C-alpha cells in the first residue's frame, strides 16, 4: 500500500477557495435575512416590506434556512479539516458557495 501524499497546492486556487468560503458565509447571512423576513411576513407580524407571504413561503424559507445552516457548518468544518491537512479547498468551496446561491434564489423567488 502506498501512502497518499498531498501534492503542492496551487496558491491561487487556495486563495480563491478561501474567498468562495467567505462569500458562502456572507451568503448565509443574506439567506438568514431573507428567511427571517419571510418568517415575519408569513406569521402575520406587521412589517414595513409590502410583500404578501403565505404558509408555503414559511415552509420554504424554514427549510432553506436549515439547509443553509447545515451547509455553512459543513463548509466551515471542511475548510478547517482540509486547511490543516494542506489539501485543496477549491472544489468544496465552489459547492458550498453554489448551494448558498441556490438557496438564496429559492427564497427570493418565493418572495415575489
Amino acid at each position: 500500500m502506498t501512502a497518499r501524499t498531498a501534492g503542492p497546492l496551487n496558491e491561487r486556487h487556495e486563495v480563491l477557495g478561501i474567498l468562495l468560503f467567505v462569500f458562502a458565509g456572507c451568503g448565509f447571512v443574506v439567506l438568514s435575512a431573507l428567511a427571517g423576513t419571510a418568517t415575519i411576513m408569513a406569521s402575520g407580524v406587521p412589517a414595513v416590506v409590502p410583500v404578501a407571504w403565505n404558509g408555503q413561503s414559511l415552509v420554504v424559507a424554514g427549510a432553506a434556512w436549515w439547509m443553509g445552516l447545515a451547509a455553512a457548518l459543513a463548509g466551515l468544518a471542511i475548510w478547517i479539516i482540509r486547511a490543516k491537512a494542506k489539501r485543496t479547498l477549491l472544489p468544496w468551496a465552489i459547492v458550498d458557495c453554489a448551494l448558498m446561491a441556490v438557496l438564496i434564489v429559492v427564497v427570493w423567488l418565493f418572495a415575489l
Side-chain angles (χ1 to χ4, degrees):
M1 291 177 40
T2 58
R4 188 172 175 178
T5 59
L9 295 175
N10 186 339
E11 192 172 316
R12 288 182 184 160
H13 286 177
E14 293 311 300
V15 170
L16 183 58
I18 290 169
L19 286 175
L20 285 176
F21 271 127
V22 169
F23 288 148
C26 293
F28 180 68
V29 172
V30 170
L31 177 66
S32 295
L34 287 174
T37 301
T39 303
I40 289 170
M41 297 297 287
S43 63
V45 175
V48 179
V49 184
V51 178
W53 294 77
N54 57 23
Q56 183 182 8
S57 296
L58 179 63
V59 171
V60 170
W65 187 84
W66 281 106
M67 285 189 279
L69 178 64
L73 292 175
L76 182 61
I78 289 170
W79 183 0
I80 292 169
I81 291 168
R82 292 189 70 86
K84 283 189 176 201
K86 304 252 190 256
R87 305 283 306 270
T88 184
L89 296 172
L90 188 58
W92 294 98
I94 291 171
V95 170
D96 193 27
C97 195
L99 181 61
M100 285 298 167
V102 167
L103 291 172
I104 289 169
V105 168
V106 165
V107 172
W108 183 264
L109 288 178
F110 273 88
L112 297 177

